[in-house]
């Protein structure tokens, strides 16, 4: 197969935005490889509204948001292959893929953009005892069944985990006539956005049981019910708090994991906290010319931020193809400390940085009336008060390039959460 | 004066807004970051509304379901009536985003429109 300047692995929101930006930055040799039969990725099954408020200043559904980018990809004449699974990315950026028409083929590339997205944490990772009956679904699988295939997974539902997909599915199942008994969350706080608790649970009087988990699943052929117990501070079930909930369906919304098999086998350095690649300010991984963006990099709450990051990755990939890797001054490290769990990016080169540096991060616990602080070496330059900071909502700080250049000999940027 | 705390659902920021209510009327809104929060608080107290999204059966396409939404927000109290109508509706391919699937659903004055393309 012919070679391309930029090969993008994944045609979801990240891959589409990266492709459009790379094309607009002047590159005419871009190929998107997508394993599904249509572009758009997971947005196609996210039929609810709430997408695009940042990007388009209007509230769109998932398919509508995707179509805005798909239309651009088509108008710009960017090449893409559907039903195509990428099997390997070699360190020299040769991409091996396969599909029914072409069989196995290789595409030599000058730059690769990783945009594979993420997967749901499965039941097997949760240590729930009991049989393996039918009726246990990850929330995203149930979402696909209802919204794309048109099947109802069940009539009486318990949801374990309060991630956004679980909350959205609680409402969706209610709309379709199912009874959602409750959402149980092992942590003392929700993993989803506050607005989704309000509009998906509170609106329909669906209880959210914090510090609760499923301790037993009843049923051999089909789920007949689950036992839910309260957990203590160490997440151990408290004896005597068990309560039985009748249900035919258990949905799991217990976290998303970036899908990085390809990145790992290519030798990309990974961040153990995000399970995504370590990247610099240009969204470039530890392998020169290999970029990462979207949920494969770190799991986002908002697709708008995915598109924004992906566009930068696309621009930088186009610049890399055009100019090669420019000699740059030594990288500044970005460190997460005291409450902040990680940062994206992990390093910054002032020579490659644009006018602004956006650092995104998540916290490990709920903080009330706390401060997000940024230190340039030992000097505190940001001290921003927040009413609430929660693990379920990604935070960001934006620094001006002048701030960084005016701090002579800057070696480290630290992002931290302080109580005063 | 009565005070009510609301989480704005206008955008993912989810601002915690406080509405001050006098004689069933919202007289003051605080805590919102933008105008959406103000509008939301007024509506939420007097006439709460939501956009409803769902799917309808799709004919004449490789796909079997077409995603749809109410073109604007509808009263919360009519959500399940609207869902009943949506569940009995069918669309025929080709359909484009924005095409009207159900006109003036349940007398709300709001159309149900396609949010996906199908050929």
């Amino acid at each position: 197969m012919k070679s391309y300047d930029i090969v993008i692995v994944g045609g979801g929101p990240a891959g589409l935005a990266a492709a459009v930006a790379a094309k607009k930055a002047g590159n005419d040799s871009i190929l998107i490889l997508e394993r599904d039969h249509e572009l758009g990725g997971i947005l196609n099954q996210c039929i609810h509204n709430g997408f695009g408020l940042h990007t388009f200043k209007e509230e769109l559904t998932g398919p509508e948001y995707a179509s805005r980018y798909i239309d651009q990809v088509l108008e710009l004449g960017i090449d893409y292959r559907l039903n195509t699974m990428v099997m390997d990315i070699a360190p020299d950026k040769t991409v091996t893929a396969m599909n029914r028409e072409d069989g196995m083929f290789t595409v030599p590339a000058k730059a690769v953009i990783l945009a594979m997205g993420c997967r749901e944490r499965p039941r097997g990772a949760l240590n729930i005892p009991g049989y393996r009956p039918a009726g246990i679904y990850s929330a995203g699988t149930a979402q696909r069944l209802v919204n794309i295939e048109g099947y109802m997974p069940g009539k009486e539902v318990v949801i374990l985990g309060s991630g956004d997909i679980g909350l959205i599915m609680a409402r969706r199942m209610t709309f379709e006539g199912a009874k959602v008994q409750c959402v149980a969350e092992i942590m003392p706080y929700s993993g989803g956005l506050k607005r989704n608790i309000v509009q998906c649970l509170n609106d329909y009087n669906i209880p959210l049981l914090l510090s609760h988990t499923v301790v037993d699943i009843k049923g051999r052929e089909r789920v007949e019910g689950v036992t839910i117990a309260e957990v203590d501070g160490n997440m151990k079930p408290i004896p005597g708090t068990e309560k039985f909930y009748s249900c035919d369906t258990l949905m799991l919304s217990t976290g998303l994991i970036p899908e990085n098999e390809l990145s790992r086998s290519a030798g990309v350095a990974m961040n153990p906290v995000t399970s995504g690649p370590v990247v610099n300010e240009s969204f470039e991984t530890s392998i020169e010319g290999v970029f990462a963006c979207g949920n494969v990099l770190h799991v986002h709450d908002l697709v708008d931020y995915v598109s924004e990051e992906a566009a930068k990755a696309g621009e930088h990939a186009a610049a890399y193809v055009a100019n090669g890797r420019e000699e740059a001054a030594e990288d500044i490290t970005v460190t997460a400390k005291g409450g902040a769990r990680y940062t994206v990016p992990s390093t910054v080169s002032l020579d490659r940085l644009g006018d602004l540096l956006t650092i995104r991060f998540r916290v490990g616990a709920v903080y009330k009336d706390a401060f997000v602080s940024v230190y340039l070496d030992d000097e505190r330059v940001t001290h921003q008060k927040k009413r609430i900071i929660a693990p379920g909502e990604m935070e960001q700080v934006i620094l001006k390039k002048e701030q960084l250049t005016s701090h002579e000999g800057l070696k480290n940027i630290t992002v931290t959460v302080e109580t005063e | 004066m009565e005070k009510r705390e609301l989480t704005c659902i206008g955008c993912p920021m989810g601002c915690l807004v406080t509405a001050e209510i006098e004689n069933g009327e919202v007289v003051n809104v605080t805590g919102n970051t933008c105008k959406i929060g103000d509008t939301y608080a007024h509506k939420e107290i007097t006439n709460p509304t939501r956009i409803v999204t769902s799917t309808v059966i799709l004919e004449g396409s490789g796909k079997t379901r077409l995603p749809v939404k109410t073109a604007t927000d509808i009263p919360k109290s009519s959500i399940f009536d609207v869902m009943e109508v949506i569940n009995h509706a069918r669309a025929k391919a080709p359909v484009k985003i924005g095409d009207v699937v159900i006109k003036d659903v349940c007398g709300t004055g709001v159309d149900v429109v396609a949010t996906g393309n199908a050929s």
Side-chain angles (χ1 to χ4, degrees):
Chain A
M1 195 176 190
K2 76 172 200 176
S3 65
Y4 282 86
D5 282 354
I6 303 173
V7 171
I8 300 173
V9 186
L16 293 170
V20 168
K23 177 84 183 186
K24 286 181 176 168
N27 194 290
D28 282 321
S29 171
I30 303 165
L31 174 68
I32 304 170
L33 297 174
E34 166 58 44
R35 70 179 165 196
D36 206 350
H37 65 280
E38 58 184 343
L39 294 173
I42 213 69
L43 284 172
N44 290 322
Q45 70 181 58
C46 298
I47 63 162
H48 55 281
N49 57 311
F51 302 90
L53 277 154
H54 290 266
T55 314
F56 299 110
K57 308 289 174 235
E58 57 182 307
E59 196 169 7
L60 303 171
T61 64
E64 290 173 306
Y65 187 95
S67 83
R68 300 273 171 117
Y69 283 93
I70 294 169
D71 289 350
Q72 291 186 65
V73 164
L74 300 178
E75 276 163 27
L76 294 168
I78 296 169
D79 287 350
Y80 62 91
R81 279 277 201 304
L82 301 176
N83 300 307
T84 301
M85 185 84 186
V86 173
M87 308 304 294
D88 183 61
I89 302 164
D92 72 350
K93 296 185 275 291
T94 298
V95 177
T96 305
M98 64 186 291
N99 63 32
R100 285 193 178 189
E101 287 75 41
D102 307 305
M104 191 94 119
F105 59 94
T106 57
V107 188
K110 293 177 185 157
V112 173
I113 301 177
L114 307 171
M116 293 88 80
C118 58
R119 294 191 84 88
E120 298 180 280
R121 183 168 284 127
R123 177 190 172 174
L126 297 178
N127 294 326
I128 308 170
Y131 292 105
R132 297 293 188 259
I136 304 173
Y137 301 87
S138 66
T141 301
Q143 187 179 45
R144 185 178 178 92
L145 286 171
V146 176
N147 293 346
I148 306 269
E149 319 279 341
Y151 294 112
M152 272 293 274
K155 294 193 174 86
E156 203 176 30
V157 185
V158 166
I159 299 174
L160 174 61
S162 58
D164 285 311
I165 312 167
L167 301 176
I168 293 289
M169 281 311 291
R171 176 178 62 181
R172 187 78 187 99
M173 294 299 286
T174 307
F175 275 4
E176 293 296 348
K179 165 82 183 151
V180 180
Q181 299 275 35
C182 65
V183 175
E185 167 61 57
I186 195 166
M187 302 303 285
Y189 49 82
S190 162
L193 296 171
K194 286 190 289 284
R195 72 190 299 243
N196 285 337
I197 309 249
V198 172
Q199 63 181 356
C200 298
L201 300 187
N202 299 359
D203 270 6
Y204 307 99
N205 301 316
I206 299 166
L208 171 61
L209 309 174
L210 296 174
S211 299
H212 280 73
T213 193
V214 170
V215 292
D216 193 33
I217 299 170
K218 188 183 168 204
R220 282 189 90 125
E221 299 298 321
R222 174 84 198 192
V223 175
E224 292 166 21
V226 297
T227 304
I228 292 176
E230 196 177 340
V231 297
D232 62 20
N234 299 316
M235 289 196 269
K236 291 268 177 291
I238 302 169
T241 62
E242 298 89 354
K243 195 177 161 197
F244 182 76
Y245 289 81
S246 151
C247 62
D248 58 20
T249 302
L250 174 65
M251 282 186 199
L252 308 174
S253 181
T254 48
L256 300 167
I257 303 158
E259 191 173 3
N260 274 298
E261 286 79 5
L262 288 170
S263 324
R264 281 198 194 87
S265 68
V268 166
M270 304 293 290
N271 180 332
V273 180
T274 56
S275 304
V278 173
V279 293
N280 64 18
E281 76 302 314
S282 306
F283 295 92
E284 190 181 27
T285 67
S286 61
I287 300 180
E288 191 183 309
V290 176
F291 299 78
C293 54
N295 281 350
V296 83
L297 176 58
H298 59 146
V299 175
H300 294 67
D301 318 312
L302 300 189
V303 72
D304 298 76
Y305 290 165
V306 167
S307 302
E308 183 202 314
E309 288 179 6
K312 285 187 192 160
E315 285 164 16
H316 286 293
Y320 172 78
V321 170
N323 311 322
R325 183 79 136 90
E326 287 172 46
E327 273 308 306
E330 202 181 326
D331 283 350
I332 299 161
T333 56
V334 186
T335 319
K337 238 178 77 182
R341 292 179 60 230
Y342 74 87
T343 62
V344 168
S346 297
T347 61
V348 177
S349 158
L350 288 177
D351 292 334
R352 286 189 298 262
L353 181 66
D355 294 337
L356 296 174
L357 171 65
T358 303
I359 301 174
R360 299 215 159 103
F361 66 98
R362 279 185 198 273
V363 294
V366 176
Y367 296 88
K368 283 189 178 145
D369 293 317
F371 296 84
V372 171
S373 300
V374 178
Y375 289 80
L376 301 184
D377 290 332
D378 293 329
E379 183 198 350
R380 188 164 77 189
V381 293
T382 304
H383 193 57
Q384 193 186 353
K385 187 166 182 180
K386 295 259 183 180
R387 275 183 82 174
I388 199 150
I389 312 172
E393 317 220 357
M394 190 184 285
E395 294 289 333
Q396 65 175 23
V397 287
I398 298 173
L399 300 171
K400 292 201 181 88
K401 187 174 185 173
E402 298 97 79
Q403 281 180 281
L404 308 181
T405 47
S406 64
H407 190 100
E408 216 163 295
L410 178 62
K411 291 248 182 305
N412 187 269
I413 303 170
T414 305
V415 177
T416 180
V417 175
E418 296 176 327
T419 47
E420 59 183 62
Chain B
M1 186 168 16
E2 189 199 342
K3 278 190 183 184
R4 260 180 53 197
E5 292 226 313
L6 304 165
T7 301
C8 176
I9 60 168
C11 90
M13 273 184 73
C15 292
L16 201 58
V17 300
T18 309
E20 292 173 23
I21 306 157
E22 235 171 47
N23 306 323
E25 295 273 320
V26 178
V27 290
N28 193 27
V29 179
T30 50
N32 53 313
T33 319
C34 73
K35 211 176 159 292
I36 297 172
D38 190 77
T39 312
Y40 173 76
H42 278 89
K43 273 192 178 176
E44 195 63 13
I45 301 293
T46 51
N47 175 30
T49 61
R50 298 288 184 266
I51 286 174
V52 172
T53 62
S54 188
T55 56
V56 298
I57 291 173
L58 179 63
E59 292 166 347
S61 166
K63 302 175 185 176
T64 61
R65 290 296 182 277
L66 176 74
V68 296
K69 70 175 180 186
T70 54
T72 58
D73 43 353
I74 57 156
K76 226 170 129 176
S77 53
S78 48
I79 288 176
F80 286 95
D81 295 336
V82 166
M83 271 307 299
E84 185 65 25
V85 175
I86 287 175
N87 279 342
H88 288 93
R90 283 165 187 263
K92 269 205 175 76
V95 190
K96 290 193 314 297
I97 288 175
D99 285 357
V100 175
V101 176
I102 305 165
K103 227 176 151 38
D104 183 15
V105 65
C106 297
T108 54
V110 177
D111 296 337
V112 173
V113 297
T115 57
N117 298 312
S119 47

